[in-house]
C-alpha cells in the first residue's frame, strides 16, 4: 500500500508540474520552428540571438511539445539530468532565453522536489516499515502468549488424564484409597507408565504437544 500511495503522489506531482511547463515553456498554437520554419534541431544552432529561431523556444518544442514528453523531461529534471540530445545544458538555454523568471521558478521547483517531495516519499516508506515492524512484534507477542497458554492447557489435560488412569488402576485393587485425590502422592512404575502412554487420549494430547510417544 505504501508503494501505491508513493507512486500516486509522485505521478500527480509529475503530471501537474509537466502540465505547467508544457503551457509555459512549450510551443504556442501554430508554432513549428524546428520543422515548419526550417530552424532545425536546437543542438545544431549556435546563434542565441536569432530573431526567429530562438533556441529556448526550439528546446521548448523538442522537450515540452506534449504533455507526455514534458512529463519525461520533468522526471529527468527531478533526477538531475538537464542535458539535451547533443549533451548541452537545456537549463542554460532556457535561463538565457527566459531570464530571471525562469531561474526563480526552476530553483523553487527543485527545492520543493528535493526537500519536499522526496522527503515525503522517504517518510512514507519509513512510516510503513516502522508500522510493519510494530505489527510483526505485536503478532509475535500474541503468538508467544497463545503458545504459552496452549502448552499449559495441554499439560494440564495430560496430567489429569494420567491421574485418572492411575486412579482407575488403583480402584481395581482398593475401592477407597486414601490418596485418591492427591496427585502428588502417587508414583508410576515402568509397566504402568508404558500402559498409560499407550492410551489413545494420552497419545492425542502428546501429539498436540509435538511429542512422538512411539519413539
Amino acid at each position: 500500500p505504501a508503494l501505491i500511495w508513493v507512486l500516486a503522489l509522485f505521478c500527480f506531482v509529475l503530471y501537474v508540474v509537466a502540465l505547467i511547463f508544457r503551457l509555459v515553456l512549450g510551443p504556442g498554437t501554430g508554432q513549428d520552428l524546428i520543422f515548419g520554419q526550417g530552424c532545425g534541431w536546437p543542438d545544431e544552432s549556435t546563434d542565441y540571438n536569432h530573431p526567429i529561431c530562438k533556441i529556448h523556444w526550439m528546446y521548448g518544442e523538442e522537450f515540452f511539445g506534449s504533455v507526455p514528453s514534458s512529463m519525461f523531461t520533468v522526471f529527468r529534471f527531478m533526477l538531475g539530468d538537464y542535458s539535451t540530445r547533443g549533451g548541452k545544458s537545456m537549463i542554460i538555454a532556457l535561463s538565457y532565453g527566459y531570464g530571471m523568471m525562469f531561474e526563480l521558478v526552476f530553483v523553487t521547483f527543485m527545492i520543493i522536489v528535493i526537500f519536499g517531495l522526496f522527503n515525503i516519499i522517504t517518510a512514507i516508506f519509513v512510516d510503513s516499515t516502522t508500522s510493519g515492524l510494530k505489527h510483526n512484534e505485536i503478532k509475535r507477542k500474541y503468538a508467544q502468549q497463545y503458545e504459552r497458554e496452549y502448552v499449559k492447557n495441554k499439560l494440564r489435560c495430560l496430567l489429569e488424564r494420567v491421574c485418572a488412569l492411575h486412579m482407575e488402576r488403583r480402584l481395581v485393587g482398593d475401592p477407597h484409597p486414601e490418596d485418591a485425590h492427591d496427585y502428588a502422592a502417587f508414583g508410576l512404575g515402568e509397566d504402568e507408565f508404558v500402559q498409560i502412554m499407550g492410551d489413545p487420549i494420552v497419545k492425542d494430547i502428546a501429539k498436540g504437544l509435538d511429542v512422538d510417544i512411539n519413539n
Side-chain angles (χ1 to χ4, degrees), residues 6 13 31 82 84 89 121 130 133 147 155-156 160 173 181 186 209:
V6 167
V13 174
Q31 178 182 327
Y82 315 117
T84 63
S89 175
I121 292 175
T130 304
L133 292 176
E147 182 179 3
L155 290 176
R156 183 183 297 111
E160 292 175 353
H181 300 287
F186 71 87
L209 292 172

Side-chain angles (χ1 to χ4, degrees), residues 60-72:
E61 287 186 14
E62 182 179 359
F63 294 100
F64 301 98
S66 63
V67 174
S69 63
S70 180
M71 290 179 65
F72 181 68

Side-chain angles (χ1 to χ4, degrees), residues 131-144:
S131 299
L133 292 176
K134 290 182 179 178
H135 181 68
N136 290 336
E137 181 66 18
I138 293 174
K139 288 179 63 178
R140 186 182 65 82
K141 290 182 179 179
Y142 283 154
Q144 288 180 344

Side-chain angles (χ1 to χ4, degrees), residues 140-202:
R140 186 182 65 82
K141 290 182 179 179
Y142 283 154
Q144 288 180 344
Q145 293 176 359
Y146 172 78
E147 182 179 3
R148 191 180 300 114
E149 291 297 325
Y150 176 80
V151 173
K152 184 188 300 183
N153 292 332
K154 284 292 184 180
L155 290 176
R156 183 183 297 111
C157 292
L158 179 61
L159 177 60
E160 292 175 353
R161 181 58 180 171
V162 170
C163 291
L165 293 175
H166 177 71
M167 289 300 108
E168 288 179 3
R169 294 173 59 86
R170 290 282 303 277
L171 291 174
V172 173
D174 185 0
H176 303 286
E178 296 180 356
D179 58 349
H181 300 287
D182 187 1
Y183 293 163
F186 71 87
L188 298 177
E190 181 178 353
D191 294 338
E192 185 178 4
F193 176 80
V194 172
Q195 292 179 1
I196 290 177
M197 289 298 104
D199 180 70
I201 298 179
V202 173

Side-chain angles (χ1 to χ4, degrees), residues 5-81:
W5 282 111
V6 167
L7 184 61
L9 174 63
F10 185 80
C11 290
F12 174 76
V13 174
L14 183 64
Y15 176 77
V16 171
V17 175
L19 186 62
I20 295 174
F21 278 21
R22 166 65 185 87
L23 296 175
V24 176
L25 303 178
T29 304
Q31 178 182 327
D32 188 8
L33 300 178
I34 296 178
F35 300 106
Q37 299 187 22
C39 295
W41 295 106
D43 283 339
E44 301 173 356
S45 177
T46 57
D47 186 3
Y48 279 76
N49 297 313
H50 195 283
I52 299 177
C53 300
K54 296 183 177 182
I55 294 182
H56 60 286
W57 287 359
M58 296 163 63
Y59 278 130
E61 287 186 14
E62 182 179 359
F63 294 100
F64 301 98
S66 63
V67 174
S69 63
S70 180
M71 290 179 65
F72 181 68
T73 304
V74 172
F75 177 74
R76 291 175 54 206
F77 284 175
M78 291 180 176
L79 300 180
D81 181 11

